[in-house]
Amino acid sequence: MIFRRFNKNFPFGDMPNTMCFTCCHVLDNNKPILYVSHDEDGCWQFLCGQMHSQEDARIISLSEIISFDKNILKLGDLQCGEYASFEENKRKWRVFKK
């Protein structure tokens, strides 16, 4: 998390232009992000929680995904190998280890 030392205004330890994965449901249909994964290899995934095929995948920057759902700002400290699921009824994120 070297980047955060230099930019305290960005909530993630990765650079704002870091590539991440999302789905067409979030980008095209404005579905909320309900599942976030910070994979063991450092990749980020921001998904709607539905089932997906490869055709549903989209690539976007970390700074751009924030503009789609500000609720993910709370997950800036999600470590590699962790994922979070949003509980809509409780309006909070639950974090798990893979």
Side-chain angles (χ1 to χ4, degrees), residues 8-71:
K8 303 238 186 267
N9 296 322
F10 193 70
F12 293 85
D14 295 299
M15 298 290 287
N17 65 347
T18 298
M19 177 187 77
C20 59
F21 298 96
T22 191
C23 62
C24 62
H25 308 114
V26 170
L27 291 186
D28 302 335
N29 301 331
N30 296 318
K31 294 280 186 182
I33 296 170
L34 301 177
Y35 176 85
V36 175
S37 175
H38 195 185
D39 299 335
E40 290 85 356
D41 61 4
C43 288
W44 286 93
Q45 296 184 53
F46 298 90
L47 305 171
C48 66
Q50 296 179 355
M51 296 298 293
H52 298 98
S53 66
Q54 285 185 338
E55 292 79 28
D56 296 332
R58 303 291 185 269
I59 297 174
I60 191 169
S61 74
L62 196 51
S63 63
E64 289 175 305
I65 197 69
I66 291 170
S67 69
F68 284 90
D69 192 339
K70 301 278 190 244
N71 195 32

Side-chain angles (χ1 to χ4, degrees), residues 33-36 71-72 74-75 84-86 92-95:
I33 296 170
L34 301 177
Y35 176 85
V36 175
N71 195 32
I72 63 170
K74 299 173 183 171
L75 300 174
S85 179
F86 190 71
K92 71 175 195 171
W93 288 100
R94 291 194 59 209
V95 175

